[in-house]
């Protein structure tokens, strides 16, 4: 069997293969609600054979959205619309996951197809936005308010409440979004965290907010369900967060109940040079897996079945996440199975179309 199609078990949850749907903002929610678009978008990828279908960055508070059209789970009213989506994903043999997020200093921006710039209150944005320190992402972006210690405690509580709602809705995996320059990432990096209290300064202090969020979620999230943490493995900046920091962080997160690290990169500061190309972030997943001694997910320009299988076969990561390739082709896992000579069952409704 191709290694890409070997099942993976995390806690009590079994994944039918190693192909996962990377979280992708759809900018299609009103007041943070899931709707028919999300049902079809996520449902199609479960039909297509992925093992984990992850809901996009889902805000734990309304001002923690990236854009006004982001998904949210900041109230009990958000639970119900998720239920049919998670039920359908489960019925199709995939695991429903949700990425819990707070956008921090990158909150209140517009749709990417309109340029993705910061938007004012008049354009549907909001103010203030919050971050560990009052440092704007870039020129033309809002300067965030530095969170007080009390506000940090409240945010930690919001992450835990969101996890409880996700469970009520039927999710079986939570991913904590601590990457791409959003709130929890800005705590980690010395470039964006200039605090002098217990949440800033030393590595221990800068990782404190993320560790508190993870511990609070683990406390309420079922013992048998896994937690993934998405990190930016490096800021691609000489004074920023480094891969060695990520390895040390992974070692800290494991005993707190993290089961897998989703190894992305960048997004903290603009204008850095990133060597983008096929598998450009896979080395991070490999190093964190080996030196951090924790399962990892590799993500980033993985598009080819042989490439994906190679990552698993050579032990670089335990799973691969695909984003844009699964937008191009929701049935990519079914096609990859064929390409790798693995006999994967097609949905019965589509069986007559299966290539022989
Ligand atoms: C439309 C779109 C929306 C995205 N939204 C999110 C998101 O909600 N959360 C996140 O962590 N990454 C997000 N990303 C990043 C992807 O999850 C992924 O890490 C990145 O696109 C690299 O993978 P790829 O080369 O397979 O596309 C998004 C990417 C795209 C293309």
């Amino acid at each position: 069997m191709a290694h890409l199609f070997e099942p993976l078990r995390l806690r009590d949850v079994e994944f039918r293969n190693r192909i996962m749907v990377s979280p992708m903002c759809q900018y299609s929610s009103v007041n943070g609600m899931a709707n028919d678009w999300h049902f079809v978008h996520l449902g199609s990828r479960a039909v297509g054979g992925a093992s984990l279908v992850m809901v996009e960055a889902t805000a734990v508070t309304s001002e923690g959205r990236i854009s006004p059209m982001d998904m949210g789970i900041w109230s009990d009213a958000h639970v119900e619309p998720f239920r049919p989506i998670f039920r359908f994903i489960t019925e199709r043999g995939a695991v429903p996951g949700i990425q819990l997020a707070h956008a921090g200093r990158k909150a209140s921006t517009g749709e990417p197809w309109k340029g993705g710039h910061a938007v004012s209150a008049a354009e549907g944005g909001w103010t203030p936005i919050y971050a560990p320190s009052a440092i704007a992402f870039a020129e033309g972006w809002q300067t965030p308010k530095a969170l007080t210690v009390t506000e940090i405690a409240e945010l930690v509580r919001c992450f835990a409440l969101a996890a409880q709602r996700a469970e009520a809705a039927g999710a079986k995996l939570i991913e904590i979004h601590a990457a791409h320059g959003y709130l929890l990432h800005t705590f980690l990096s010395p470039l964006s965290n200039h605090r002098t209290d217990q949440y800033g300064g030393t590595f221990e202090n800068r990782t404190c907010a993320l560790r508190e969020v993870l511990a609070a979620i683990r406390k309420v999230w079922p013992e048998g369900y896994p937690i993934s943490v998405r990190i930016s493995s490096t800021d691609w900046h000489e004074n920023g967060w480094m891969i060695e920091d990520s390895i040390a962080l992974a070692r800290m997160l494991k005993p707190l109940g993290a089961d897998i690290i989703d190894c992305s990169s960048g997004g903290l500061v603009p204008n850095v040079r990133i060597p983008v190309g096929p598998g450009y972030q896979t080395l991070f997943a490999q190093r964190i897996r080996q030196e951090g001694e924790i399962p990892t997910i590799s993500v980033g320009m993985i598009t080819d079945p042989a490439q994906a299988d190679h990552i698993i076969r050579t032990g670089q990561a335990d799973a691969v996440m695909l984003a844009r390739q699964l937008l191009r082709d929701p049935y990519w896992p079914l096609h990859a199975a064929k390409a790798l000579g693995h006999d994967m069952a097609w949905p019965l409704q589509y069986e007559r179309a299966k290539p022989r």
Side-chain angles (χ1 to χ4, degrees):
M1 186 198 284
H3 291 71
L4 192 59
F5 289 93
E6 277 173 8
L8 172 71
R9 196 179 183 81
L10 295 174
R11 295 190 182 240
D12 295 344
V13 178
E14 172 117 344
F15 300 81
R16 60 183 161 187
N17 57 49
R18 308 300 178 99
I19 307 162
M20 300 178 165
V21 180
S22 203
M24 279 179 279
C25 288
Q26 297 297 295
Y27 309 97
S28 300
S29 294
V30 176
N31 295 325
M33 295 290 174
N35 58 42
D36 290 354
W37 174 264
H38 305 102
F39 187 97
V40 174
H41 163 66
L42 297 165
S44 306
R45 276 126 199 107
V47 171
S51 63
L52 169 71
V53 178
M54 178 95 79
V55 176
E56 66 195 78
T58 301
V60 301
T61 68
S62 68
E63 99 288 334
R65 287 174 291 173
I66 303 166
S67 84
M69 292 72 59
D70 276 24
M71 187 78 94
I73 190 158
W74 62 82
S75 83
D76 291 344
H78 289 91
V79 171
E80 197 53 45
F82 279 123
R83 281 208 173 104
I85 300 176
F86 291 159
R87 189 166 55 235
F88 181 81
I89 291 170
T90 307
E91 281 167 8
R92 292 305 337 154
V95 174
I98 185 167
Q99 188 186 48
L100 299 183
H102 188 294
R105 68 179 184 176
K106 287 170 100 176
S108 186
T109 61
E111 301 96 312
W113 49 84
K114 291 183 186 165
H117 304 300
V119 289
S120 65
E123 298 165 296
W126 54 91
T127 192
I129 58 171
Y130 296 93
S133 303
I135 308 168
F137 170 66
E139 235 186 274
W141 291 62
Q142 273 192 65
T143 300
K145 263 187 76 181
L147 288 158
T148 65
V149 169
T150 316
E151 286 166 343
I152 294 171
E154 178 55 23
L155 275 174
V156 171
R157 204 177 74 88
C158 288
F159 270 95
L161 283 170
Q164 286 176 309
R165 294 187 189 111
E167 189 207 347
K172 298 222 165 47
L173 176 142
I174 276 180
E175 177 163 283
I176 300 171
H177 197 348
H180 303 166
Y182 298 117
L183 183 74
L184 292 171
H185 182 186
T186 54
F187 271 98
L188 298 176
S189 177
L191 295 173
S192 47
N193 183 347
H194 292 184
R195 297 178 75 94
T196 52
D197 63 3
Q198 69 268 41
Y199 291 101
T202 63
F203 176 82
E204 277 278 326
N205 288 2
R206 282 181 281 116
T207 56
C208 185
L210 173 56
R211 286 185 285 114
E212 286 184 2
V213 165
L214 172 59
I217 292 180
R218 206 6 114 201
K219 225 165 147 184
V220 298
W221 186 239
E223 184 68 31
Y225 291 178
I227 299 176
S228 165
V229 181
R230 173 167 274 199
I231 58 169
S232 281
S233 311
T234 172
D235 288 338
W236 299 108
H237 187 290
E238 58 185 3
N239 301 323
W241 180 264
M242 303 287 185
I243 176 63
E244 289 73 20
D245 296 317
S246 294
I247 293 164
L249 175 70
R251 287 184 167 277
M252 284 173 141
L253 297 184
K254 194 176 168 180
L256 292 173
D259 300 289
I260 196 158
I261 306 293
D262 178 2
C263 307
S264 189
S265 78
L268 188 92
V269 282
N271 308 322
V272 289
R273 285 179 50 191
I274 304 179
V276 176
Y280 72 108
Q281 295 175 146
T282 299
L283 183 63
F284 302 135
Q286 181 179 358
R287 285 200 58 189
I288 292 168
R289 185 173 193 259
Q290 281 168 1
E291 298 170 50
E293 295 178 63
I294 187 166
T296 59
I297 300 167
S298 177
V299 63
M301 292 200 67
I302 299 167
T303 55
D304 178 70
Q307 174 199 15
D309 190 54
H310 178 264
I311 290 170
I312 306 301
R313 185 159 35 86
T314 56
Q316 292 176 287
D318 297 272
V320 290
M321 267 189 186
L322 280 66
R324 287 164 293 179
Q325 192 64 8
L326 278 169
L327 293 186
R328 295 179 193 113
D329 178 8
Y331 308 114
W332 190 89
L334 297 175
H335 297 147
K338 170 76 180 155
L340 296 172
H342 172 69
D343 186 23
M344 184 174 181
W346 278 45
L348 289 177
Q349 297 90 330
Y350 292 2
E351 178 60 26
R352 282 197 288 171
K354 181 175 173 177
R356 305 284 163 191

